[in-house]
Amino acid sequence: MIEPRIVQRLRDAAEDHRVHPEAPVHLTVRLADGRSVTGTPLAVEDGAVWLRTVQDEDGAAVELDSVLDLRVDEHDQTVAEH
């Protein structure tokens, strides 16, 4: 199960993007299967976070339960860890 603080950070980043689309937050999320996905959170809904990535400008869904941790790329600091 994903930690509530990770979900909150993803929601905060999505809200920041809605309020300030000219300065998107870029996050890298590490997934349970070992992959990492980098993108800008667009929304958190229905058990998924929608990330705008280089490959998918409209947003790709990533299941929240598969997110182990995330990192804000701008500051290269870990925001939350599982």
Side-chain angles (χ1 to χ4, degrees):
M1 172 123 179
I2 188 169
E3 289 186 28
R5 62 184 172 153
I6 293 175
V7 174
Q8 188 59 51
R9 182 62 187 110
L10 291 168
R11 285 189 175 129
D12 290 347
E15 179 63 23
D16 289 348
H17 178 70
R18 280 191 291 279
V19 174
H20 302 289
E22 72 283 354
V25 175
H26 299 284
L27 301 174
T28 297
V29 294
R30 189 168 58 89
L31 306 177
D33 65 5
R35 295 181 302 130
S36 292
V37 179
T38 300
T40 299
L42 302 176
V44 177
E45 57 188 27
D46 299 326
V49 57
W50 290 86
L51 294 173
R52 176 179 289 153
T53 65
V54 173
Q55 296 84 11
D56 196 339
E57 294 253 339
D58 293 329
V62 175
E63 289 184 30
L64 286 175
D65 285 343
S66 69
V67 177
L68 295 181
D69 66 34
L70 60 89
R71 178 173 49 90
V72 177
D73 290 343
E74 297 168 335
H75 307 293
D76 198 31
Q77 64 185 15
T78 299
V79 176
E81 289 186 1
H82 181 68

